[in-house]
Every structure is written in C-alpha cells, then in structure tokens.
Amino acid sequence: MSTPETNPDASFGDTNHVRDIAEVAAVEVITTAAVHLMSAAAVKCGLAEGEDAEELKDLDEARKLITALAGLITAAAPEVGSQHAGPLRDGLRSLQLAFREASTIQDAPGQGPGEKFTGPVN
C-alpha cells in the first residue's frame, strides 16, 4: 500500500476520512473484504443472474479469487471468531464446489482453488 511517506503523490484524504476508517472494527474490514472476494468469485464462476452470466464466467480469474478468499479466511478465522468465520467458511466451500461443477477439467483432490489452505473439498 502506498503511503504519503513512500509516495508523495499518495493521499489518504481529509482528516475526517481517516477518522471514519479508524472507527471501523477490524472484523468489519475483514468480512467486507471477504464478501467482495466472494461476490467477484461467484460472478467469475458463472453464478451471476441475468442472460450474460455465461459470458462473465472466467474460471482462471475465479481460481485466483477463491484462493485469495481461502487465504484470508484461514488467516483471519482465529482473529474474528467462529461467529464470523463460520459463515465465511460456508460461503467459501460453496464457491469451491461451484468452481468444481463449472470446470470441465477436474482438479485432483486438494488441488482445487483454495484447497491448499482448506484441504480437499467434497
């Protein structure tokens, strides 16, 4: 991340913006990031609503997003607690299964997106 110290052109905005960010709990930032990754991965798996869902499907991109999501959830779970980590894990598992279903070439067990963090998903 670029900071004013490392990049003079970078700016964090006004003091009120920084204060607003400081007031957000870490668990909210983490879960918001996870939800964004989940939403993007769902679209890339072809799960979007609408006629163009198949056109939006990109399994290479979905693999990257799911792997990033798995890493985030695995690393953050002890910090955010089971009440937040549980639903995130459920969403991740659903995406991993959707990816497997959408893929014409099946990954070996434990080699699917994010499975290096979660273990094999079935």
Side-chain angles (χ1 to χ4, degrees):
M1 175 176 220
S2 183
T3 65
E5 292 80 26
T6 61
N7 181 355
D9 295 329
S11 173
F12 289 111
D14 60 47
T15 305
N16 290 332
H17 183 71
V18 172
R19 190 172 299 122
D20 290 345
I21 291 171
E23 293 174 5
V24 178
V27 68
E28 289 182 49
V29 175
I30 293 165
T31 56
T32 299
V35 168
H36 284 293
L37 287 168
M38 282 183 188
S39 297
V43 169
K44 298 295 185 176
C45 281
L47 301 176
E49 291 186 19
E51 297 174 12
D52 61 347
E54 191 63 28
E55 294 172 28
L56 300 173
K57 184 162 67 170
D58 184 336
L59 295 181
D60 183 52
E61 291 287 303
R63 179 182 294 277
K64 293 170 187 170
L65 291 163
I66 294 169
T67 299
L69 176 63
L72 173 63
I73 292 172
T74 301
E79 303 300 325
V80 300
S82 60
Q83 73 181 28
H84 297 287
L88 294 175
R89 283 190 188 114
D90 291 344
L92 170 60
R93 183 176 185 280
S94 295
L95 285 168
Q96 288 171 311
L97 293 172
F99 180 92
R100 180 173 293 154
E101 187 175 309
S103 183
T104 57
I105 302 171
Q106 296 301 305
D107 292 313
Q111 300 301 308
E115 290 183 351
K116 66 182 173 185
F117 297 110
T118 65
V121 175
N122 50 23

